[in-house]
Amino acid sequence: SLSVSSTKLIECSTNSFSPDSVRLVGRAGLCSGRVEVKSNQSWASVCEADFDRQDAEVVCVELGCGAPAALQGGLYGEGEGQTWDKEFQCKGKESLLLDCDTSDRENNTCLPGNAVGLTCSEPDDVRLVGGGSRCAGGVEWYDQGEWRIVGADDRDQRDVAAVVCRQMGCGSTVSALPGNTTRGFGVRCPGSESSLRECWRSYDLLPGLTVICSDLLVQPDIFLTDSMGGVSRGHQGPEVFRGYNFTITCSTQPQYPGGSFLLTFTGSNRTQIQPAVNHSAAFLFPAADDSHQGNYSCVYDYYVFSHNFSSESELLSLTITGN
């Protein structure tokens, strides 16, 4: 039989890092800020001399961000607490900062202005599919090696949609509607976040979310052509000789069939409209004169998803020159 004559207290040592062992602070969003690591339940800034590009790669991966874009001491200010007293020696392939080797710092001081700041690029972990545009469609989130459908309760749909449009650089929300599927994992956002990674999520099955953002249409192109040799390139842009005909062509990428182009002339109410044929329209001017000098732009209009959308080209500055 086994007899116990005394009780022993066994203490197990743990790594000084907690599961949330690294963060970037001092900027909005999760992917940029001053690097801080957690040790003994408090946060410490990291000195620039103790942190290099390979260390940054590990941090960006651990936070679910893209590749490092900027790494500089003092970039996001100084921390108010202690300074981390080790030098990281990551190889760049680790998935967590706590997996990296460390060594004692050669110099025990970190001069003011040397708390390292890091900016990671935003990852392409959210997409809109099935809407004919990168700014419209069902919301999907890249998670654990696969694209998963995102769902939201009725009360959360508009806020989640606002975050999606903001993260993708697609402007503001035009509409947020439940999709035809119930395979989406749940997401809740107050609506002010810069990316979905800052929102709460659960794996409750909720109706998939379809989002339409305001910047649905790509920017159209505008260019000048002629068939008589009357167009030349001047210091201020294209020039057309008086009396020669010229054509301004508007075109756009083949997102949707049809639509129309509006050619505007800056400083005047004069406009011309033509239907988009093969995603372009040509506006012919038979004889150039001084009244044609100025700035032109193409506006592509399209009605889809029960809304009117438009996108304007860059300005084309046209000069009318000698005979």
Side-chain angles (χ1 to χ4, degrees):
S1 63
L2 177 66
S3 62
V4 179
S5 59
S6 62
T7 302
K8 293 184 178 179
L9 177 64
I10 301 176
E11 295 184 356
C12 300
S13 63
T14 60
N15 194 293
S16 59
F17 288 93
S18 68
D20 54 337
S21 59
V22 61
R23 67 182 184 181
L24 301 177
V25 298
R27 283 291 300 273
L30 295 176
C31 293
S32 63
R34 184 177 60 256
V35 179
E36 292 188 353
V37 295
K38 198 170 190 179
S39 174
N40 299 323
Q41 305 306 311
S42 62
W43 290 98
S45 301
V46 177
C47 193
E48 181 182 18
D50 301 330
F51 197 85
D52 61 16
R53 176 82 181 189
Q54 291 178 310
D55 305 328
E57 291 174 358
V58 175
V59 170
C60 291
V61 168
E62 181 172 353
L63 295 177
C65 303
L71 179 65
Q72 180 181 333
L75 189 61
Y76 297 117
E78 292 295 310
E80 297 179 357
Q82 59 182 327
T83 300
W84 183 249
D85 60 358
K86 301 285 186 181
E87 179 180 352
F88 287 105
Q89 296 177 334
C90 301
K91 297 178 175 62
K93 302 300 182 182
E94 298 87 348
S95 58
L96 300 173
L97 191 62
L98 63 85
D99 292 336
C100 299
D101 294 332
T102 60
S103 63
D104 293 332
R105 185 193 299 159
E106 293 182 3
N107 188 340
N108 289 328
T109 61
C110 186
L111 298 176
N114 285 337
V116 69
L118 171 63
T119 298
C120 309
S121 60
E122 292 292 333
D124 295 328
D125 61 352
V126 173
R127 67 182 183 182
L128 298 174
V129 297
S133 167
R134 64 175 298 273
C135 294
V139 183
E140 293 187 353
W141 190 352
Y142 193 75
D143 178 58
Q144 298 180 6
E146 64 179 323
W147 288 99
R148 300 172 183 264
I149 296 171
V150 172
D153 286 327
D154 291 345
R155 65 179 182 273
D156 297 319
Q157 289 173 358
R158 195 77 183 183
D159 291 332
V160 174
V163 176
V164 170
C165 291
R166 184 180 302 117
Q167 178 176 351
M168 298 192 66
C170 289
S172 58
T173 306
V174 173
S175 67
L177 303 169
N180 297 322
T181 177
T182 57
R183 293 184 295 113
F185 65 84
V187 175
R188 292 188 62 190
C189 305
S192 59
E193 295 84 355
S194 60
S195 72
L196 281 187
R197 295 185 314 280
E198 300 171 46
C199 301
W200 298 285
R201 65 174 177 174
S202 68
Y203 287 93
D204 297 332
L205 296 181
L206 297 173
L209 181 63
T210 296
V211 173
I212 312 299
C213 306
S214 59
D215 294 351
L216 178 79
L217 303 176
V218 298
Q219 186 179 38
D221 296 316
I222 182 171
F223 53 94
L224 181 69
T225 59
D226 77 299
S227 59
M228 299 172 58
V231 174
S232 63
R233 175 63 59 178
H235 294 295
Q236 303 300 320
E239 297 179 347
V240 177
F241 290 112
R242 292 186 185 89
Y244 281 77
N245 68 40
F246 64 95
T247 300
I248 295 179
T249 300
C250 303
S251 67
T252 188
Q253 295 180 19
Q255 287 180 280
Y256 304 103
S260 62
F261 283 103
L262 172 71
L263 181 67
T264 66
F265 183 63
T266 304
S268 170
N269 293 326
R270 185 172 61 196
T271 59
Q272 300 183 50
I273 300 177
Q274 286 195 32
V277 178
N278 293 327
H279 314 290
S280 66
F283 298 85
L284 175 64
F285 295 82
D289 60 42
D290 290 341
S291 68
H292 295 128
Q293 180 165 303
N295 296 320
Y296 295 82
S297 69
C298 295
V299 179
Y300 178 59
D301 292 311
Y302 195 79
Y303 182 81
V304 67
F305 303 119
S306 302
H307 289 84
N308 286 306
F309 294 89
S310 64
S311 182
E312 187 171 6
S313 71
E314 296 180 349
L315 288 177
L316 173 70
S317 181
L318 181 63
T319 302
I320 307 301
T321 187
N323 294 328

